Amino acid sequence: MQRTGNVLRVHFADRKGTFLAPLIVLGIVVIVIGLIGAVATATGTDREALWEGMQYNGAVWALLGMGIGIGFATMGQHLSFALGMGITRREWVIGSGLMFVIMAASITAIVVIGKIIELATSGWGMGVRMFDTVHTGTGPWWQTAIQTFLIALAGMCFCAMIGSVWNRWGKTGLSWLGGVALILLVLVFGIGIIAPWEQVLRLLETLMGFGWGVWMSVLAGSTVVSAIVWAILTRRAEVR
Amino acid sequence: MTTVIQTRNVSKRYKAVAAVDDLSIEFEEHRIHGLLGRNGAGKTTLMQLLTGQLFATSGQISVFGEEPVENADVLRRVCFIQEGQVYPDGFTPEHVLTVARGIHAGWDEETARYLVDVFELPTDRKIKKLSRGQLSAIGIIVGIASRAELTFFDEPYLGLDAVARKNFYDELLRDFSEHPRTIVISSHHIDEIAPLLETVTVIDSGKLMMRHEVEDLADAASSFSGTRAAIDEFAEYVDVLERTDVGGLSTIVVRGTVPRPVLERASELKLERQPASLQDLFVALTESARHERRARQNV
């Protein structure tokens, strides 16, 4: 337990950078959204139309995207430092996994609190929104909580997994990973181009028709797979 | 004396390159060991293997009697100060000290603060804004204040000026005498660091070249100077590691103990004899190895 605490100490030693940075990012985004709302109000834009349109506002990704940085830094910067301090890879994965959960929960708390305020004030009094959007869910708060938590956690686990490929096989590993991703993309787009449009549209409709629960299960499954692959690769990862 | 580190035929290969090649060494407890070698000799790789950061391609490694890789019982007793250590973005020296304080059971905060003063380290400045010497100071402070049973210093003084390097040697020796533990230092400043060391291990191209007690170094090599003609004759009786010719004068570094009859011949030839310094011996050994490698490549 104390050794897991050591890993958390590595991650949270820079408290300002860890916890203040998301709040600064959030502050900047809120200011920008506020300015948009002020301009919209000043120019007499229809508030309902603005509210409707802003459900696609992707500003919340400024917060969610932090998971990407956290995942990469965990393997790219912190691992070498931690191993030098005598922490084992197993301890590193357990402690960092716990850190991912704490950070995803923190991001979730910000988004959910933001959403509750946003809904209570009818879009910050200006009809604008950034938390109650399709990206983190426009359903009840608990759906937003689950969706946000899973997106943030998936980002961290996936990027830590890519980082572990780098630690394990260096540039060669990343090249292989890029190659596989490229082949998959070509296959998907190739099928999209070759197959009759009706079939492609029907497939998209079927995919879009899946309920929220199915999509969340897919997201949760991807997160678990990423986390497992990350843990396995890290067991033999070397410092670069 | 208890052996803390033992390797048996350890190799670490990267495709065709052997960074560490069939290396068998031992380091005893409560001593300061010097690990010397040229750039790329395999010193850092060896230290990374001994601290479980890298996996050996073959051979056995034992630290405190156990395999170090993924062994928390071993690694909690070890501190590794690595050359060019990457610190997380946004970290200040204070963050590093905070982490080290929590991890190392033997951490001495008073010593850490004293060393911060000695090295005039700005603890609240972002690490990426520190000079190379200040970065080295962080490692030195952590390495000494951690009081780990086994501490590795990998080129710990890079970027430090002469005064700061002397401070490092003085403080390490002072702390070591008060709290004996096992220390392994790799260094380029060989003659500077020589007074600290009790044993010297020289590696080249990943292979062990020499392992000696420092107090026995006088027997490991000697240097003879004289006229070129006299040296030409004398060189036939001894194992010459290195030769330098300047004008009509020559100097050779000779491996091992020179037999009495050969010494008498040196006297007759009016050669001046001196024990080779650690630096002379190191240069001679590594140059000799380089010439042998080149000769093999040309065959």
Side-chain angles (χ1 to χ4, degrees):
Chain A
M1 196 61 202
Q2 192 208 337
R3 303 281 294 176
T4 307
N6 290 338
V7 177
L8 292 179
R9 200 169 280 121
V10 172
H11 284 299
F12 295 134
D14 178 18
R15 289 197 186 86
K16 270 190 206 163
T18 309
F19 293 108
L20 202 62
L23 295 175
I24 290 172
V25 170
L26 180 72
I28 293 168
V29 171
V30 165
I31 289 170
V32 172
I33 300 296
L35 282 174
I36 292 170
V39 170
T41 306
T43 54
T45 308
D46 178 29
R47 201 172 266 200
E48 273 193 26
L50 183 64
W51 177 257
E52 194 65 21
M54 285 196 81
Q55 69 177 309
Y56 302 104
N57 179 11
V60 75
W61 284 102
L63 264 181
L64 299 176
M66 288 187 59
I68 294 170
I70 291 170
F72 281 130
T74 294
M75 295 305 290
Q77 291 181 357
H78 294 67
L79 177 68
S80 144
F81 176 61
L83 292 187
M85 286 281 178
I87 289 168
T88 67
R89 291 165 183 79
R90 184 174 177 276
E91 291 162 351
W92 183 247
V93 168
I94 293 170
S96 298
L98 185 57
M99 183 271 288
F100 288 171
V101 171
I102 292 170
M103 290 308 292
S106 305
I107 292 171
T108 302
I110 293 172
V111 172
V112 170
I113 292 169
K115 175 182 176 118
I116 290 169
I117 297 172
E118 202 164 82
L119 291 174
T121 56
S122 301
W124 310 94
M126 294 178 283
V128 291
R129 59 181 177 175
M130 62 172 286
F131 297 111
D132 184 49
T133 64
V134 294
H135 308 286
T136 46
T138 53
W141 70 267
W142 59 268
Q143 280 194 349
T144 294
I146 292 171
Q147 191 164 328
T148 305
F149 181 78
L150 284 177
I151 290 174
L153 192 61
M156 291 178 214
C157 291
F158 185 74
C159 293
M161 180 188 74
I162 293 176
S164 64
V165 170
W166 158 256
N167 281 108
R168 189 77 184 267
W169 294 292
K171 282 180 192 166
T172 314
L174 289 185
S175 303
W176 275 99
L177 203 64
V180 170
L182 193 67
I183 289 168
L184 285 175
L185 271 176
V186 168
L187 278 175
V188 168
F189 280 103
I191 289 168
I193 292 166
I194 295 164
W197 274 109
E198 295 77 22
Q199 275 185 23
V200 175
L201 283 173
R202 208 172 305 135
L203 179 67
L204 283 175
E205 271 174 19
T206 311
L207 286 175
M208 298 306 285
F210 287 151
W212 178 84
V214 175
W215 281 111
M216 289 307 103
S217 303
V218 170
L219 195 52
S222 311
T223 306
V224 170
V225 169
S226 298
I228 290 171
V229 174
W230 165 53
I232 291 170
L233 293 184
T234 302
R235 295 282 291 177
R236 295 287 297 177
E238 294 191 330
V239 169
R240 285 184 184 274
Chain B
M1 204 171 283
T2 310
T3 300
V4 172
I5 297 170
Q6 190 172 50
T7 72
R8 284 281 168 268
N9 309 109
V10 166
S11 294
K12 176 66 181 175
R13 295 186 170 279
Y14 295 99
K15 294 182 180 164
V17 179
V20 170
D21 194 0
D22 200 30
L23 196 63
S24 298
I25 51 165
E26 287 184 4
F27 291 121
E28 301 81 22
E29 72 170 354
H30 297 170
R31 309 184 84 183
I32 302 182
H33 304 275
L35 181 61
L36 310 180
R38 300 183 65 189
N39 286 333
K43 305 183 295 291
T44 300
T45 306
L46 177 61
M47 287 185 172
Q48 287 177 324
L49 288 166
L50 295 172
T51 53
Q53 301 215 1
L54 298 180
F55 298 89
T57 311
S58 60
Q60 282 102 45
I61 297 174
S62 163
V63 176
F64 294 119
E66 295 178 47
E67 164 70 37
V69 170
E70 290 299 275
N71 190 332
D73 290 336
V74 169
L75 296 178
R76 76 172 81 236
R77 301 162 74 184
V78 175
C79 179
F80 180 25
I81 303 304
Q82 188 169 210
E83 179 200 353
Q85 173 67 60
V86 176
Y87 294 101
D89 269 352
F91 259 42
T92 63
E94 192 59 48
H95 293 137
V96 178
L97 298 181
T98 303
V99 172
R101 187 187 308 131
I103 287 179
H104 294 292
W107 181 262
D108 187 276
E109 186 63 18
E110 202 178 314
T111 299
R113 293 299 149 191
Y114 164 72
L115 292 173
V116 164
D117 282 346
V118 167
F119 289 99
E120 298 175 339
L121 182 66
T123 53
D124 55 353
R125 195 179 295 169
K126 291 259 195 279
I127 285 180
K128 58 186 167 192
K129 290 186 179 166
L130 297 182
S131 68
R132 188 69 197 78
Q134 288 169 324
L135 268 176
S136 293
I138 298 174
I140 287 169
I141 294 167
V142 171
I144 295 177
S146 67
R147 300 253 169 91
E149 288 173 65
L150 172 60
T151 305
F152 292 92
F153 284 106
D154 181 17
E155 308 278 7
Y157 48 71
L158 292 181
L160 289 181
D161 58 35
V163 175
R165 285 206 302 277
K166 185 177 182 309
N167 284 337
F168 165 54
Y169 305 139
D170 291 348
E171 296 304 333
L172 180 67
L173 212 50
R174 188 183 59 76
D175 205 67
F176 175 79
S177 61
E178 290 168 11
H179 304 276
R181 58 232 203 228
T182 311
I183 294 172
V184 180
I185 307 181
S186 75
S187 176
H188 282 119
H189 290 265
I190 295 168
D191 275 346
E192 249 182 52
I193 208 164
L196 289 181
L197 307 177
E198 291 173 74
T199 75
V200 175
T201 301
V202 179
I203 60 173
D204 191 62
S205 298
K207 286 181 182 294
L208 179 66
M209 296 204 66
M210 185 195 86
R211 169 80 161 72
H212 255 283
E213 299 287 318
V214 166
E215 59 188 29
D216 298 339
L217 273 177
D219 296 333
S222 348
S223 153
F224 292 84
S225 307
T227 62
R228 192 180 279 224
I231 289 289
D232 280 345
E233 184 197 327
F234 185 69
E236 291 180 12
Y237 310 130
V238 287
D239 181 4
V240 178
L241 282 169
E242 196 197 22
R243 175 171 179 153
T244 314
D245 296 314
V246 180
L249 296 174
S250 296
T251 302
I252 54 174
V253 177
V254 174
R255 189 201 304 262
T257 312
V258 180
R260 183 173 290 275
V262 179
L263 279 179
E264 284 166 3
R265 183 65 189 139
S267 265
E268 288 163 17
L269 290 167
K270 300 197 180 345
L271 301 183
E272 191 181 327
R273 183 196 179 208
Q274 282 187 325
S277 70
L278 184 54
Q279 173 101 11
D280 289 341
L281 181 59
F282 171 76
V283 171
L285 278 170
T286 50
E287 280 297 289
S288 162
R290 189 168 65 89
H291 292 315
E292 278 175 27
R293 272 200 307 276
R294 200 169 274 180
R296 274 201 305 272
Q297 281 166 2
N298 290 337
V299 169

